[in-house]
């Protein structure tokens, strides 16, 4: 459940208590999370723990020292105060929030967002602001360590306004990283293809958001975006026709196969690292004699030559992985140059995931 589960209406500058909206959940939020568990799934909530809205009751009850400040004045950024995790009241507040989400609401996943700019930091205790910010950042990591120790089954995703805090200080602790807030699936293809150059594929949370009424090719394109990472599935699935739901189900099933050994696979880029405006882009994950290769045709030529150096001078078998039907896509292999020429049958954006085995 995304932003807004804690408010009836406008919420931006009132956040901080993280209590469920009684209007949205008249039977209590545990009624909903319990139903999710009954269906064999894990309930999750969006959370932006490091801020207190200026309208939140906590803005008046927490100590001034619990907030980032300069020259004795709390920093206010876009209607929010910023917690200083060096202070015990700030940490105790966040501990209580997370413990309640897990123990009372049975939450197993937190989408940890951060949508504010702290600026140069806090000069509290006579420190240079940059030093104060460094201490706060280290305290944040220590707080996360404590959460994981108390709740080892809890999964936490790093979001931060769509990958604005994508670093391994955070990702050495958190399980996944939302790679972008990009809402155009054609543009997202480049992001999904490039992400493993910076982070582990198994941590790269790429959004797939098929919508009811999309063409078959566009729906497939959206789902391919999420395939060779951690698929974040969104969209109004409840509005889809049966054949659209079947396509999403096929994608989820295929993705679970990829996840089976994704940690053992190495990324490679058959067309080189993707350019933002490239007509074609590609990402592969290989291990031994087997690879999954995502190929996106966004615009331009009807065919592209993919370089598979690990298969040079060998025969290969190429099969469609997702969708399982090639639907007009074709390919040819030149073992000497290690080039796999792939052709798309349509001028509209189109994508496929291929399975490649050396023989």
């Amino acid at each position: 459940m995304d932003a807004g589960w804690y408010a009836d209406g406008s919420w931006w500058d009132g956040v901080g208590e993280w209590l469920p909206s009684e209007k949205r959940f008249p039977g209590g939020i545990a009624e909903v999370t319990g139903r999710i568990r009954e269906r064999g799934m894990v309930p999750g909530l969006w959370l932006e723990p490091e801020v207190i809205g200026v309208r939140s009751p906590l803005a008046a009850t927490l100590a001034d020292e619990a907030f980032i400040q300069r020259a004795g004045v709390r920093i206010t950024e876009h209607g929010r105060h910023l917690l200083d995790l060096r202070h015990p009241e700030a940490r105790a507040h966040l501990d209580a929030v997370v413990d309640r989400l897990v123990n009372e609401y049975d939450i197993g996943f937190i989408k940890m967002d951060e949508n504010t700019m702290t600026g140069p930091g806090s000069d509290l205790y006579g420190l240079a602001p940059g030093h104060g910010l460094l201490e706060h950042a280290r305290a944040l990591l220590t707080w996360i360590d404590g959460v994981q120790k108390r709740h080892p089954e809890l999964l936490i995703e790093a979001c931060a306004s769509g990958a604005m805090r994508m670093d391994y200080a955070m990702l050495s602790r958190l399980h996944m990283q939302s790679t972008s807030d990009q809402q155009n699936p054609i543009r997202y293809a480049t992001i999904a293809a490039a992400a493993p150059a910076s982070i582990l594929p198994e941590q790269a949370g790429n959004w797939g958001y098929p919508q009811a009424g999309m063409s078959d090719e566009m729906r497939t394109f959206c789902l391919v975006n999420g395939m060779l990472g951690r698929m974040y599935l969104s969209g109004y699935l409840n509005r889809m026709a049966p054949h659209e739901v079947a396509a999403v189900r096929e994608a989820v099933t295929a993705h679970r196969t990829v996840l089976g050994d994704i940690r053992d696979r190495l990324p490679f880029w058959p067309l080189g690292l993707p350019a933002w405006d490239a007509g074609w882009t590609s990402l592969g994950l290989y291990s031994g004699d087997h690879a999954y290769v995502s190929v996106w045709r966004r615009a331009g030529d009807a065919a592209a030559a993919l370089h598979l150096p690990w298969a040079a001078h060998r025969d290969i078998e190429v099969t469609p992985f997702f969708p399982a039907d090639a639907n007009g896509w074709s390919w040819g292999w030149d073992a000497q140059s290690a080039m796999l020429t792939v052709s798309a049958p349509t001028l509209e954006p189109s994508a496929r995931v291929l399975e490649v085995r050396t023989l």
Side-chain angles (χ1 to χ4, degrees), residues 58-70:
L58 293 172
T61 57
L62 288 176
D64 284 337
E65 293 78 13
F67 296 92
I68 299 266
Q69 55 180 271
R70 288 191 289 279

Side-chain angles (χ1 to χ4, degrees), residues 24-353:
R24 292 182 187 273
F25 304 100
I29 197 169
E31 178 182 55
V32 178
T33 59
R35 179 60 172 157
I36 292 170
R37 292 281 188 183
E38 288 174 6
R39 298 301 297 265
M41 298 182 289
V42 177
L45 289 177
W46 179 94
L47 188 68
E48 193 172 0
E50 298 160 72
V51 298
I52 301 291
V54 296
R55 292 193 298 107
S56 171
L58 293 172
T61 57
L62 288 176
D64 284 337
E65 293 78 13
F67 296 92
I68 299 266
Q69 55 180 271
R70 288 191 289 279
V73 178
R74 292 184 193 178
I75 299 302
T76 303
E77 203 277 320
H78 203 186
R80 279 113 168 268
H81 300 305
L82 315 172
L83 286 173
D84 188 334
L85 271 294
R86 296 177 295 174
H87 196 274
E89 278 193 36
R91 293 193 303 273
H93 159 62
L94 294 190
D95 281 341
V97 168
V98 173
D99 290 351
R100 172 165 40 83
L101 298 186
V102 175
N103 296 331
E104 296 183 26
Y105 308 154
D106 203 15
I107 293 301
F109 181 96
I110 289 176
K111 183 179 180 69
M112 183 175 168
D113 213 341
E114 215 286 335
N115 295 302
T116 55
M117 297 292 291
T118 54
S122 175
D123 61 6
L124 189 64
Y125 313 123
L127 297 174
H131 194 141
L133 183 58
L134 176 62
E135 287 191 346
H136 158 75
R138 288 171 172 168
L140 170 63
L141 298 177
T142 300
W143 173 73
I144 294 172
D145 289 341
V147 169
Q148 292 290 330
K149 186 175 181 179
R150 295 197 312 278
H151 306 292
E153 301 301 316
L154 177 67
L155 297 178
I156 306 178
E157 171 215 321
C159 180
S161 249
M164 297 301 288
R165 191 164 63 182
M166 192 173 75
D167 61 77
Y168 269 91
M170 296 294 289
L171 286 177
S172 64
R173 292 158 169 84
L174 304 186
H175 302 87
M176 290 167 277
Q177 170 69 62
S178 180
T179 54
S180 182
D181 282 349
Q182 175 60 248
Q183 297 183 44
N184 183 325
I186 309 303
R187 293 175 178 171
Y188 210 126
T190 303
I191 298 168
S198 300
I199 61 176
L200 296 170
E202 60 266 32
Q203 288 183 290
N206 300 317
W207 286 94
Y209 28 70
Q211 303 295 321
M214 279 183 168
S215 70
D216 290 347
E217 290 297 336
M218 182 55 69
R219 182 176 58 252
T220 297
F221 195 105
C222 290
L223 292 166
V224 169
N225 285 347
M227 194 64 65
L228 298 191
R230 296 297 289 267
M231 181 186 289
Y232 290 179
L233 183 61
S234 185
Y236 287 101
L237 305 183
N238 58 308
R239 299 178 182 176
M240 288 185 171
H243 76 280
E244 295 171 319
V245 174
V248 173
R249 182 178 291 113
E250 180 186 355
V252 171
T253 300
H255 181 58
R256 285 174 173 161
T257 299
V258 173
L259 291 181
D261 66 353
I262 191 172
R263 291 177 298 178
D264 301 322
R265 293 181 176 270
L266 296 175
F268 67 100
W269 291 268
L271 294 170
L273 288 175
W276 181 245
D277 57 354
W280 285 77
T281 192
S282 180
L283 168 67
L285 298 179
Y286 82 94
S287 177
D289 61 356
H290 179 271
Y292 298 109
V293 181
S294 288
V295 189
W296 294 267
R297 182 199 175 276
R298 305 197 304 169
D301 297 336
L306 311 183
H307 189 211
L308 310 180
W310 51 274
H313 309 294
R314 303 174 69 179
D315 292 333
I316 64 172
E317 178 186 43
V318 182
T319 55
F321 178 71
F322 175 77
D325 187 333
N327 292 321
W329 278 62
S330 60
W331 41 81
W333 173 240
D334 184 330
Q336 297 307 307
S337 63
M339 288 294 186
L340 179 68
T341 300
V342 179
S343 300
T346 175
L347 294 178
E348 72 173 306
S350 183
R352 294 292 185 273
V353 182

